[in-house]
Amino acid sequence: MKFFIDTASLAQIKEAQDLGVLDGVTTNPSLMAKEGISGEDRVRKHYVDICTIVDGPVSAEVIATDYDGIIREGESLAALHKNIVVKVPMIRDGVKALKYFSNKGIKTNCTLIFSAGQALLAAKAGATYVSPFIGRLDDVSTDGVALIDTIRTIYDNYGYTTEILAASIRHPMHIIQCAEVGADVATCPLSAIVALFDHPLTTIGLEKFLADHKKAAAAMAKA
Ligand code: G3P
């Protein structure tokens, strides 16, 4: 399973990269706004900065919602760096644009997926990734992980190569559950990735190993 970080914070991206388990980055207009990144030039520079930190796919979302605008913006984003993946919303013009980008060899991430039917359409149009938002489904009392499971079955039934990128992940159990049902990628906040490291028995076990080692070394020094 691949781990992407879901942020536009360069500091957090660097921290995740230093952990040695990061495969890519996803952003969206809300995450860019959270970092105070706006204006075409600054946005474009920010994507390039991210690409210089992580050598993996970096999703950059289009703002346009009409076909011509999505194509124009997507081609311009894709030209920024070889690792840019054009993130396109699940709307009619977006799906049409996915097909265009796919024919051109431009990688895409179809975002705002909330149903299996939407995931099927995106795969048929040749999306590289689909992003089902599991946390937002859980927020409205709908099982987000179950959607990942259903999409996995559908893609496997027909051999679609579109990767399932589980998004809107809120906690470490979301990552484990998505791994269980076969998501290809989990894009997570740094907190969820870091939480996977911790277990009290690991902490206690290591403390005991080190204390025993110290005791043995002291005994040897005395002898
Ligand atoms: O990748 C999509 C993600 O950024 C949405 O997460 O927590 O706003 O639902 P959230």
Side-chain angles (χ1 to χ4, degrees):
M1 184 194 224
K2 286 175 250 182
F3 279 7
F4 290 0
I5 187 166
D6 193 30
T7 184
S9 157
L10 297 182
Q12 287 196 15
I13 292 168
K14 277 185 197 138
E15 194 178 332
Q17 172 69 10
D18 282 349
L19 295 174
V21 294
L22 191 67
D23 299 296
V25 180
T26 53
T27 64
N28 63 39
S30 303
L31 294 171
M32 294 291 273
K34 194 171 161 199
E35 298 308 309
I37 311 295
S38 66
E40 203 185 321
D41 289 349
R42 277 196 73 204
V43 166
R44 291 168 67 82
K45 181 184 175 309
H46 200 75
Y47 288 137
V48 174
D49 288 346
I50 294 173
C51 289
T52 61
I53 299 171
V54 179
D55 186 18
V58 173
S59 286
E61 188 160 341
V62 298
I63 304 299
T65 55
D66 64 293
Y67 177 75
D68 290 340
I70 293 171
I71 299 301
R72 212 173 22 249
E73 211 183 322
E75 286 188 323
S76 159
L77 288 169
L80 285 175
H81 193 279
K82 67 176 174 46
N83 287 344
I84 291 285
V85 173
V86 179
K87 206 170 178 188
V88 176
M90 169 38 75
I91 53 177
R92 283 170 173 72
D93 280 11
V95 171
K96 205 168 135 191
L98 290 175
K99 184 76 188 164
Y100 172 88
F101 290 134
S102 165
N103 289 338
K104 285 246 168 180
I106 292 174
K107 293 204 166 81
T108 53
N109 175 356
C110 186
T111 189
L112 291 167
I113 296 281
F114 292 96
S115 75
Q118 291 176 328
L120 181 55
L121 287 172
K124 283 183 68 66
T128 314
Y129 302 94
V130 280
S131 289
F133 278 27
I134 65 170
R136 291 192 194 181
L137 281 169
D138 288 357
D139 289 345
V140 295
S141 308
T142 303
D143 189 342
V145 174
L147 174 61
I148 303 286
D149 196 15
T150 304
I151 298 171
R152 177 77 284 151
T153 302
I154 291 171
Y155 283 8
D156 290 351
N157 282 348
Y158 296 100
Y160 287 121
T161 55
T162 299
E163 293 191 43
I164 304 171
L165 193 167
S168 185
I169 281 179
R170 302 278 166 75
H171 50 71
M173 279 314 292
H174 265 157
I175 303 177
I176 304 301
Q177 290 160 346
C178 285
E180 278 180 340
V181 298
D184 298 288
V185 190
T187 189
C188 322
L190 182 60
S191 58
I193 300 175
V194 165
L196 293 175
F197 280 93
D198 302 326
H199 195 287
L201 291 178
T202 305
T203 311
I204 292 166
L206 183 59
E207 277 168 5
K208 174 128 179 56
F209 284 157
L210 296 180
D212 289 346
H213 171 78
K214 208 171 157 187
K215 247 189 268 168
M220 189 179 259
K222 244 192 215 165

